[in-house]
Amino acid sequence: MNTFLVLFRHAWRKSFEQKINIAILLLLPVVIVFIPPHEITFPFGMYIYGLVNLFSAFTLSRTIMEDRIRGMMVRIIAAPVKYIEYMGAHLLAFMLILTVQNLLFLLLTILRWNEYIFSYPAIFLLYFCYNMMSITLALAWNVMFRSYSLSFALYSGFASILCLVTGVTIPLFLFPDQLRHYVAVLPTYWLSNGLEAIYNQRLET
């Protein structure tokens, strides 16, 4: 258990060593809060936050990728530290950081657009599940690369296109029904679809 806590503190500290991490984790959520709302849906910032969350998870996963490139994974096998402890501590740290980011963003959104926001627990749960997807996607993506710079460059384009075609950066109600049927297989679709479902459920009641 002591080893787990040491690894957890290490992952937490490493996550904030890079200035870009602080900018993405703390500053970008503040900026997108001020995006004007639309009369038939939640404020657009709540959707675009999905793109910010994808990049947040990716920058956090840099620690694991760099350890893999330096051969840390091989040394863990020979060390008393178990691989499951290493991964568990890092994933817990990442989820906790993203959860704090969720709370910060939701609090600021409520303060700015309170009259447009409702069903807070459902929205928080949706973002929490989206966090897990974002971390999983970032780790799976980084496995394919040996260079973080190359990985980040390609991921930037991939994530932007992914969010563009799944309603994260363009509202879903602008999409034709046939296209929505195809993009439903993409993970980011379910954030925009979930927010739309929560909003429509309130209107129906």
Side-chain angles (χ1 to χ4, degrees):
M1 189 63 181
N2 290 335
T3 302
F4 184 88
L5 292 176
V6 170
L7 291 170
F8 175 82
R9 287 196 295 267
H10 169 74
W12 181 278
R13 186 178 64 254
K14 290 282 289 184
S15 298
F16 292 100
E17 284 185 352
Q18 301 291 329
K19 293 182 179 179
I20 189 174
N21 286 20
I22 299 176
I24 293 177
L25 290 169
L26 301 178
L27 297 183
L28 282 183
V30 175
V31 174
I32 63 176
V33 163
F34 295 95
I35 297 177
H38 193 280
E39 59 183 6
I40 61 172
T41 186
F42 285 122
F44 282 158
M46 296 181 65
Y47 295 83
I48 297 177
Y49 176 71
L51 178 61
V52 174
N53 191 266
L54 280 180
F55 281 101
S56 298
F58 188 86
T59 57
L60 291 175
S61 69
R62 177 175 184 171
T63 301
I64 293 180
M65 183 178 188
E66 290 179 341
D67 286 347
R68 177 173 61 84
I69 293 174
R70 290 196 297 263
M72 181 67 70
M73 301 305 180
V74 177
R75 291 196 290 271
I76 288 177
I77 297 176
V81 178
K82 296 180 179 179
Y83 183 75
I84 192 171
E85 289 181 325
Y86 171 85
M87 287 300 300
H90 280 75
L91 293 178
L92 179 60
F94 297 163
M95 281 300 300
L96 184 58
I97 291 171
L98 292 180
T99 300
V100 171
Q101 185 190 51
N102 291 347
L103 291 172
L104 172 65
F105 174 72
L106 281 176
L107 177 61
L108 293 174
T109 302
I110 292 169
L111 292 175
R112 182 66 180 87
W113 308 109
N114 184 53
E115 65 272 23
Y116 298 94
I117 311 298
F118 46 81
S119 301
Y120 308 125
I123 295 174
F124 176 78
L125 181 60
L126 177 63
Y127 281 143
F128 184 82
C129 294
Y130 188 79
N131 287 346
M132 292 188 285
M133 184 284 299
S134 298
I135 293 174
T136 302
L137 180 63
L139 293 176
W141 178 273
N142 281 329
V143 166
M144 300 184 293
F145 298 90
R146 296 284 298 175
S147 168
Y148 178 80
S149 298
L150 176 61
S151 177
F152 182 78
L154 295 178
Y155 186 84
S156 298
F158 170 75
S160 299
I161 294 174
L162 190 65
C163 290
L164 179 66
V165 301
T166 55
V168 174
T169 52
I170 295 181
L172 274 178
F173 61 79
L174 298 177
F175 284 56
D177 292 337
Q178 185 176 8
L179 179 59
R180 292 181 60 167
H181 176 73
Y182 290 113
V183 300
V185 300
L186 302 174
T188 49
Y189 167 81
W190 295 102
L191 173 66
S192 51
N193 183 73
L195 288 172
E196 189 179 66
I198 293 172
Y199 189 88
N200 291 336
Q201 184 180 23
R202 173 64 178 269
L203 295 181
E204 292 172 359
T205 56

